[in-house]
Amino acid sequence: MSVFADFADPWEHARMLADTARNAVLIETLRAHAPGATVLEVGCGTGLFSVLAARLGARRVIALEPTELWREARALVRANGLEDVVEVRPCTIESLAPGALPPVDLAFCELLSPDPLSEGLLDAMAHADLHLAPGGRLAPAALRLGVALVGEADDLPLAEARRARAALDAVAAAHQLALGPLADLLQDAPPMGFLHPSPPVLGPISWLPWWTLGADLDGAAVEGAHALELPAVAAPAAGAVLVFEARYATGAVMHNRPGAGGHWGHLVSGWARPLPAGVPAALRLEVEDDHCLVWPPEVGPAPASR
């Protein structure tokens, strides 16, 4: 099965298209930069925004879509009588050599998710940059990641680890067992990354510097550990939530800051041991193979693969 298969799920697109704040950023970008331009959409999905770019006055639109949704995108182009303006190609941007497209004035996409690097945004924009005309724009043009501490809750891994330990203690007491390394395994388990609709955030977001997207920044360039210093909070922390902000060509920002709504949800790295209250936290964000995980201070080096 294609690695892009999940992105062809119509319900995934329904969730995206219901996100009015997300849509507003894309529409603002196209209103400002599509008229008279050659426009490239990387990952057009159903083709809605490529068609909208044409309606807003783009001279030419090239829409790339690697999933079976390229057929739906072509059908939408036909339904709007825009075959002479919008060309849908069933491919990825990474598969196109420099010169395979006409120079474009605007290359845009929305390859974002709770794990903001998992859809290959950095590589896609690095390759799109190779097709820009002089003075052309990428949208988004910059990305930054942030982390905030998350409080304790029954649906976080810390609570699950405590319930497991209580069950183990009961079995051990009933059968005169020594837990030994099994107890250590629970105590020292690595962070668990999972999606949460609205994690209980404890304090402010600590941000990494903005990354400028383009040919000089692909996924490999950001792999490794990124240090983040978070201030002390008043309650123990059970993990950390990852947040993104993506700055588009007009300066508008698409984001999934906690409490702001939106369809993405949040990637939480849950920990097996709580971080004490009242202590500043030196955390590290580990990026590997376009996936992110936040490690607490007392846990050892990240494994070679996840």
Side-chain angles (χ1 to χ4, degrees):
M1 182 179 292
S2 166
V3 295
F4 300 105
D6 289 346
F7 303 126
D9 184 342
W11 287 108
E12 285 298 316
H13 288 268
R15 290 174 62 243
M16 290 188 287
L17 295 173
D19 188 336
T20 56
R22 163 197 178 267
N23 296 344
V25 172
L26 294 173
I27 292 168
E28 178 182 325
T29 298
L30 295 177
R31 283 191 190 280
H33 300 294
T38 297
V39 175
L40 170 67
E41 183 176 9
V42 180
C44 72
T46 59
L48 174 65
F49 288 98
S50 285
V51 166
L52 183 57
R55 278 282 186 255
L56 290 172
R59 181 174 65 252
R60 182 177 181 185
V61 181
I62 302 165
L64 308 182
E65 176 54 44
T67 77
E68 287 302 309
L69 282 177
W70 70 266
R71 301 179 193 277
E72 315 304 324
R74 279 191 181 172
L76 188 65
V77 171
R78 287 195 301 272
N80 285 275
L82 292 170
E83 298 97 323
D84 292 340
V85 180
V86 183
E87 176 190 0
V88 179
R89 297 192 187 187
C91 65
T92 66
I93 185 67
E94 292 87 350
S95 69
L96 299 177
L101 298 177
V104 301
D105 304 299
L106 173 69
F108 79 99
C109 74
E110 189 275 89
L111 300 178
L112 293 164
S113 67
D115 190 345
L117 304 182
S118 64
E119 292 189 33
L121 173 66
L122 302 188
D123 285 343
M125 290 292 96
H127 283 80
D129 193 15
L130 303 177
H131 300 278
L132 287 185
R137 299 171 183 270
L138 294 178
L143 176 76
R144 70 172 179 170
L145 307 184
V147 170
L149 293 174
V150 169
E152 299 190 26
D154 286 343
D155 58 354
L156 296 182
L158 176 60
E160 186 72 17
R162 285 173 173 161
R163 290 192 290 268
R165 182 57 190 265
L168 285 174
D169 287 343
V171 171
H175 300 280
Q176 295 78 51
L177 299 178
L179 293 177
L182 182 54
D184 294 339
L185 179 66
L186 286 176
Q187 182 77 0
D188 298 324
M192 174 184 174
F194 68 104
L195 298 184
H196 196 289
S198 183
V201 176
L202 290 176
I205 300 169
S206 178
W207 294 98
L208 292 175
W210 285 96
W211 292 332
T212 299
L213 304 185
D216 294 331
L217 187 81
D218 60 11
V222 302
E223 286 196 349
H226 302 268
L228 288 149
E229 297 289 335
L230 279 77
V233 293
V241 58
L242 183 65
V243 184
F244 69 79
E245 290 187 341
R247 189 169 62 228
Y248 277 70
T250 61
V253 173
M254 201 177 286
H255 64 84
N256 72 335
R257 291 190 294 267
H263 75 283
W264 288 286
H266 300 89
L267 178 67
V268 172
S269 295
W271 304 331
R273 286 185 281 177
L275 201 62
V279 178
L283 308 182
R284 73 179 189 277
L285 171 65
E286 288 280 350
V287 179
E288 182 181 334
D289 295 332
D290 289 334
H291 293 282
C292 302
L293 203 61
V294 182
W295 291 70
E298 69 270 21
V299 179
S305 61
R306 289 190 284 274

mmCIF file of all heavy atoms in Angstrom, residues 117 122-123 211 217-226 285-291:
data_model
loop_
_atom_site.group_PDB
_atom_site.id
_atom_site.type_symbol
_atom_site.label_atom_id
_atom_site.label_comp_id
_atom_site.label_asym_id
_atom_site.label_seq_id
_atom_site.Cartn_x
_atom_site.Cartn_y
_atom_site.Cartn_z
ATOM 1 N N LEU A 117 6.192 17.253 10.925
ATOM 2 C CA LEU A 117 7.142 16.889 9.875
ATOM 3 C C LEU A 117 6.775 15.577 9.189
ATOM 4 O O LEU A 117 7.423 15.186 8.223
ATOM 5 C CB LEU A 117 8.556 16.780 10.466
ATOM 6 C CG LEU A 117 9.076 18.012 11.203
ATOM 7 C CD1 LEU A 117 10.506 17.779 11.680
ATOM 8 C CD2 LEU A 117 8.994 19.261 10.341
ATOM 9 N N LEU A 122 9.137 19.547 4.859
ATOM 10 C CA LEU A 122 10.442 20.151 4.588
ATOM 11 C C LEU A 122 10.992 19.692 3.241
ATOM 12 O O LEU A 122 11.484 20.509 2.452
ATOM 13 C CB LEU A 122 11.423 19.812 5.704
ATOM 14 C CG LEU A 122 11.029 20.231 7.123
ATOM 15 C CD1 LEU A 122 12.191 20.000 8.083
ATOM 16 C CD2 LEU A 122 10.581 21.675 7.174
ATOM 17 N N ASP A 123 10.920 18.395 2.967
ATOM 18 C CA ASP A 123 11.409 17.890 1.679
ATOM 19 C C ASP A 123 10.572 18.430 0.526
ATOM 20 O O ASP A 123 11.108 18.780 -0.536
ATOM 21 C CB ASP A 123 11.363 16.356 1.666
ATOM 22 C CG ASP A 123 12.473 15.742 2.496
ATOM 23 O OD1 ASP A 123 13.447 16.447 2.822
ATOM 24 O OD2 ASP A 123 12.364 14.547 2.840
ATOM 25 N N TRP A 211 12.339 28.041 11.171
ATOM 26 C CA TRP A 211 13.084 27.440 10.076
ATOM 27 C C TRP A 211 12.570 28.047 8.768
ATOM 28 O O TRP A 211 11.369 28.028 8.495
ATOM 29 C CB TRP A 211 12.870 25.935 10.019
ATOM 30 C CG TRP A 211 13.468 25.188 11.180
ATOM 31 C CD1 TRP A 211 14.553 25.547 11.927
ATOM 32 C CD2 TRP A 211 13.010 23.940 11.711
ATOM 33 N NE1 TRP A 211 14.804 24.603 12.892
ATOM 34 C CE2 TRP A 211 13.871 23.604 12.789
ATOM 35 C CE3 TRP A 211 11.968 23.066 11.395
ATOM 36 C CZ2 TRP A 211 13.727 22.440 13.537
ATOM 37 C CZ3 TRP A 211 11.813 21.911 12.144
ATOM 38 C CH2 TRP A 211 12.678 21.604 13.191
ATOM 39 N N LEU A 217 16.834 23.494 3.253
ATOM 40 C CA LEU A 217 16.321 22.864 4.464
ATOM 41 C C LEU A 217 15.440 21.683 4.090
ATOM 42 O O LEU A 217 14.269 21.851 3.775
ATOM 43 C CB LEU A 217 15.509 23.870 5.296
ATOM 44 C CG LEU A 217 15.069 23.344 6.665
ATOM 45 C CD1 LEU A 217 16.215 23.464 7.669
ATOM 46 C CD2 LEU A 217 13.854 24.096 7.178
ATOM 47 N N ASP A 218 16.018 20.486 4.139
ATOM 48 C CA ASP A 218 15.204 19.293 3.950
ATOM 49 C C ASP A 218 15.072 18.566 5.285
ATOM 50 O O ASP A 218 15.548 19.040 6.316
ATOM 51 C CB ASP A 218 15.788 18.379 2.870
ATOM 52 C CG ASP A 218 17.200 17.902 3.197
ATOM 53 O OD1 ASP A 218 17.672 18.099 4.349
ATOM 54 O OD2 ASP A 218 17.843 17.324 2.305
ATOM 55 N N GLY A 219 14.406 17.418 5.268
ATOM 56 C CA GLY A 219 14.178 16.689 6.505
ATOM 57 C C GLY A 219 15.461 16.291 7.205
ATOM 58 O O GLY A 219 15.563 16.338 8.439
ATOM 59 N N ALA A 220 16.470 15.900 6.432
ATOM 60 C CA ALA A 220 17.737 15.471 7.031
ATOM 61 C C ALA A 220 18.421 16.600 7.792
ATOM 62 O O ALA A 220 19.137 16.367 8.770
ATOM 63 C CB ALA A 220 18.666 14.928 5.950
ATOM 64 N N ALA A 221 18.181 17.840 7.369
ATOM 65 C CA ALA A 221 18.860 18.979 7.989
ATOM 66 C C ALA A 221 18.410 19.227 9.420
ATOM 67 O O ALA A 221 19.130 19.868 10.184
ATOM 68 C CB ALA A 221 18.625 20.236 7.151
ATOM 69 N N VAL A 222 17.233 18.740 9.801
ATOM 70 C CA VAL A 222 16.724 19.006 11.150
ATOM 71 C C VAL A 222 16.710 17.755 12.019
ATOM 72 O O VAL A 222 16.255 17.814 13.166
ATOM 73 C CB VAL A 222 15.309 19.629 11.099
ATOM 74 C CG1 VAL A 222 15.315 20.916 10.288
ATOM 75 C CG2 VAL A 222 14.279 18.653 10.560
ATOM 76 N N GLU A 223 17.192 16.628 11.506
ATOM 77 C CA GLU A 223 17.214 15.420 12.327
ATOM 78 C C GLU A 223 18.174 15.579 13.495
ATOM 79 O O GLU A 223 19.179 16.281 13.411
ATOM 80 C CB GLU A 223 17.599 14.202 11.489
ATOM 81 C CG GLU A 223 16.494 13.727 10.569
ATOM 82 C CD GLU A 223 16.751 12.321 10.044
ATOM 83 O OE1 GLU A 223 17.875 11.806 10.229
ATOM 84 O OE2 GLU A 223 15.821 11.739 9.458
ATOM 85 N N GLY A 224 17.838 14.918 14.599
ATOM 86 C CA GLY A 224 18.680 14.974 15.784
ATOM 87 C C GLY A 224 17.952 15.631 16.940
ATOM 88 O O GLY A 224 16.723 15.730 16.958
ATOM 89 N N ALA A 225 18.728 16.068 17.935
ATOM 90 C CA ALA A 225 18.168 16.605 19.172
ATOM 91 C C ALA A 225 18.140 18.120 19.153
ATOM 92 O O ALA A 225 19.099 18.767 18.734
ATOM 93 C CB ALA A 225 18.993 16.113 20.361
ATOM 94 N N HIS A 226 17.024 18.681 19.617
ATOM 95 C CA HIS A 226 16.848 20.131 19.729
ATOM 96 C C HIS A 226 16.491 20.445 21.178
ATOM 97 O O HIS A 226 15.489 19.940 21.702
ATOM 98 C CB HIS A 226 15.745 20.612 18.790
ATOM 99 C CG HIS A 226 15.993 20.276 17.351
ATOM 100 N ND1 HIS A 226 16.633 21.128 16.483
ATOM 101 C CD2 HIS A 226 15.695 19.154 16.634
ATOM 102 C CE1 HIS A 226 16.715 20.564 15.289
ATOM 103 N NE2 HIS A 226 16.148 19.362 15.355
ATOM 104 N N LEU A 285 13.723 17.785 22.001
ATOM 105 C CA LEU A 285 12.872 17.323 20.920
ATOM 106 C C LEU A 285 13.744 16.518 19.970
ATOM 107 O O LEU A 285 14.686 17.051 19.384
ATOM 108 C CB LEU A 285 12.238 18.509 20.201
ATOM 109 C CG LEU A 285 11.481 18.205 18.903
ATOM 110 C CD1 LEU A 285 10.270 17.339 19.173
ATOM 111 C CD2 LEU A 285 11.074 19.497 18.210
ATOM 112 N N GLU A 286 13.436 15.234 19.840
ATOM 113 C CA GLU A 286 14.186 14.352 18.944
ATOM 114 C C GLU A 286 13.435 14.236 17.618
ATOM 115 O O GLU A 286 12.246 13.881 17.594
ATOM 116 C CB GLU A 286 14.350 12.965 19.559
ATOM 117 C CG GLU A 286 15.318 12.903 20.731
ATOM 118 C CD GLU A 286 16.772 12.852 20.296
ATOM 119 O OE1 GLU A 286 17.028 12.666 19.086
ATOM 120 O OE2 GLU A 286 17.645 12.981 21.170
ATOM 121 N N VAL A 287 14.121 14.556 16.530
ATOM 122 C CA VAL A 287 13.548 14.432 15.189
ATOM 123 C C VAL A 287 14.296 13.319 14.468
ATOM 124 O O VAL A 287 15.525 13.353 14.356
ATOM 125 C CB VAL A 287 13.673 15.748 14.399
ATOM 126 C CG1 VAL A 287 13.084 15.575 13.000
ATOM 127 C CG2 VAL A 287 12.976 16.881 15.136
ATOM 128 N N GLU A 288 13.548 12.348 14.002
ATOM 129 C CA GLU A 288 14.161 11.225 13.279
ATOM 130 C C GLU A 288 13.186 10.732 12.223
ATOM 131 O O GLU A 288 12.019 10.449 12.532
ATOM 132 C CB GLU A 288 14.492 10.088 14.250
ATOM 133 C CG GLU A 288 15.168 8.903 13.580
ATOM 134 C CD GLU A 288 15.456 7.772 14.567
ATOM 135 O OE1 GLU A 288 15.599 8.057 15.760
ATOM 136 O OE2 GLU A 288 15.519 6.617 14.116
ATOM 137 N N ASP A 289 13.653 10.637 10.992
ATOM 138 C CA ASP A 289 12.820 10.155 9.878
ATOM 139 C C ASP A 289 11.497 10.913 9.812
ATOM 140 O O ASP A 289 10.425 10.322 9.642
ATOM 141 C CB ASP A 289 12.545 8.652 10.025
ATOM 142 C CG ASP A 289 13.815 7.825 9.899
ATOM 143 O OD1 ASP A 289 14.734 8.279 9.205
ATOM 144 O OD2 ASP A 289 13.883 6.745 10.504
ATOM 145 N N ASP A 290 11.553 12.232 9.954
ATOM 146 C CA ASP A 290 10.366 13.076 9.862
ATOM 147 C C ASP A 290 9.338 12.807 10.961
ATOM 148 O O ASP A 290 8.150 13.080 10.781
ATOM 149 C CB ASP A 290 9.686 12.941 8.490
ATOM 150 C CG ASP A 290 10.503 13.585 7.391
ATOM 151 O OD1 ASP A 290 11.271 14.501 7.694
ATOM 152 O OD2 ASP A 290 10.364 13.163 6.228
ATOM 153 N N HIS A 291 9.786 12.293 12.099
ATOM 154 C CA HIS A 291 8.900 12.106 13.248
ATOM 155 C C HIS A 291 9.529 12.751 14.471
ATOM 156 O O HIS A 291 10.758 12.812 14.609
ATOM 157 C CB HIS A 291 8.623 10.623 13.493
ATOM 158 C CG HIS A 291 7.828 9.981 12.404
ATOM 159 N ND1 HIS A 291 6.466 10.143 12.289
ATOM 160 C CD2 HIS A 291 8.205 9.197 11.370
ATOM 161 C CE1 HIS A 291 6.032 9.487 11.226
ATOM 162 N NE2 HIS A 291 7.067 8.909 10.644
#
